[in-house]
Amino acid sequence: MKPYVILNAAMTLDGKIATKTGSSEISGKEDLERVHEIRKKVDGIMVGIGTVLADDPRLTVHKINARKEDNPIRIVVDNKARTPLNFRILNDDAETIIAVSSICDERNENCDEEAVKRAKELEKRVNVFYSTGETVDLVEFMEYLYDYGIKSIMLEGGSTLNFSMIRDGLIDEVKICIAPMIVGGKDSKTFFDGDGFDYMKDAVQLELINSFPLGKDFIMEYKVLK
Ligand SMILES: NC(=O)c1ccc[n+]([C@@H]2O[C@H](COP(=O)([O-])OP(=O)(O)OC[C@H]3O[C@@H](n4cnc5c(N)ncnc54)[C@H](O)[C@@H]3O)[C@@H](O)[C@H]2O)c1
Ligand SMILES: Nc1nc(=O)c(N)c(NC[C@H](O)[C@H](O)[C@H](O)COP(=O)(O)O)[nH]1
């Protein structure tokens, strides 16, 4: 069993979620409030290490009225345990789970010693999940999170993790805020990056279930067809 996963992001009209410098202030005020209403409802909120390093996010409910108990569990997919110890994701505002990949080989030898040290430091502060894969095995990780009690997750990026999650069939809903902005740039981050599929016949199919204007932005909500 796996948690129900809602992917949420904000993009420019040309499909970018950040520029090549990592600048990503896209949503209007109303959209951020909508996102925080969802944060308040789900059990977990998940991002990749690229997003942590770019944004130093809090991943708490802080744009609307909320109590500490309303904060979901923060979840980071972080192959080589690169989460900096002074970043906000490790503070006491909410519980945090960090997934790292197999830092050693299957015989527990040939370890990346620096990554092992970093993971041990993180373990003093938060719950560290050791995946068996070279990169975090997301199917295995989702099963672990479900058994841990996390039945719903909002995935909040970035581009690389978004693609791995949709490729592995782990996303149930997609909510996208489209802002009336164009930023361009072939090196900007798009909604889904990763390797992509080779052929359109392999594209993930969605069904539009809702769409509405919100402040300066426009929201589209889809169900992922399986
Ligand atoms: N506009 C938005 O809604 C929005 C939302 C989130 C992030 N962002 C932006 O996106 C950028 C970050 O995106 P990104 O693509 O660099 O990083 P990301 O957050 O997608 O993290 C990717 C990293 O996660 C790790 N990882 C481990 N196992 C993995 C697996 N199985 N699959 C995929 N990744 C795995 C790898 O180290 C990988 O490099 C930042 O600039 C951030 O500001 C924008
Ligand atoms: N909905 C949305 N609109 C945006 O314009 C934007 N840049 C993000 N980005 C999501 C990403 O996960 C960010 O890292 C957190 O939104 C950081 O913010 P917090 O400190 O947690 O509020 N999300």
Side-chain angles (χ1 to χ4, degrees):
M1 297 285 275
K2 71 158 202 76
Y4 188 85
V5 178
I6 301 166
L7 166 59
N8 187 85
M11 69 179 190
T12 58
L13 183 61
D14 52 333
K16 318 293 188 188
I17 66 164
T19 66
K20 63 173 183 240
T21 66
S23 163
S24 67
E25 298 83 1
I26 296 170
S27 294
K29 179 176 176 291
E30 295 86 350
D31 184 56
L32 289 173
E33 286 168 3
R34 179 190 64 83
V35 173
H36 283 243
E37 293 291 351
I38 306 174
R39 285 187 178 189
K40 203 170 170 178
K41 284 191 198 128
V42 290
D43 299 329
I45 172 168
M46 177 169 162
V47 296
I49 182 64
T51 299
V52 170
L53 295 175
D55 298 348
D56 186 13
R58 279 155 281 187
L59 301 188
T60 56
V61 188
H62 59 86
K63 302 268 183 215
I64 56 173
N65 273 336
R67 300 157 304 161
K68 195 174 174 182
E69 308 85 81
D70 294 320
N71 288 330
I73 297 180
R74 303 175 291 195
I75 303 161
V76 185
V77 179
D78 179 12
N79 275 349
K80 296 293 170 215
R82 290 188 294 149
T83 301
L85 294 174
N86 61 342
F87 269 32
R88 298 191 283 191
I89 197 98
L90 299 178
N91 68 21
D92 292 332
D93 290 351
E95 188 179 339
T96 300
I97 300 175
I98 298 186
V100 303
S101 58
S102 53
I103 295 174
C104 305
D105 67 16
E106 59 282 355
R107 292 194 198 142
N108 215 19
E109 290 167 2
N110 297 315
C111 303
D112 176 341
E113 295 300 344
E114 287 306 310
V116 169
K117 265 193 223 156
R118 290 195 297 271
K120 290 251 175 303
E121 281 305 312
L122 288 172
E123 255 187 90
K124 291 181 189 163
R125 308 269 292 272
V126 298
N127 180 353
V128 177
F129 170 83
Y130 290 87
S131 174
T132 54
E134 244 174 70
T135 58
V136 173
D137 180 330
L138 296 168
V139 173
E140 173 192 62
F141 186 42
M142 285 296 129
E143 283 166 6
Y144 166 81
L145 293 174
Y146 187 88
D147 292 342
Y148 190 81
I150 298 176
K151 309 298 184 206
S152 59
I153 289 178
M154 174 155 62
L155 169 63
E156 278 203 55
S159 317
T160 312
L161 185 59
N162 289 351
F163 183 72
S164 298
M165 288 285 288
I166 199 102
R167 178 201 60 204
D168 291 353
L170 296 170
I171 299 179
D172 300 286
E173 268 182 53
V174 175
K175 295 180 193 283
I176 184 70
C177 161
I178 303 169
M181 307 159 84
I182 291 175
V183 71
K186 66 177 169 41
D187 295 326
S188 298
K189 299 270 174 194
T190 69
F191 191 9
F192 296 86
D193 285 343
D195 288 337
F197 295 113
D198 287 341
Y199 299 100
M200 274 305 164
K201 70 175 174 49
D202 299 323
V204 173
Q205 304 293 322
L206 311 161
E207 182 188 333
L208 182 66
I209 48 179
N210 201 10
S211 63
F212 52 94
L214 185 62
K216 69 173 181 64
D217 301 322
F218 196 86
I219 313 300
M220 303 194 64
E221 301 183 331
Y222 297 86
K223 179 169 85 179
V224 178
L225 300 177
K226 305 217 169 165

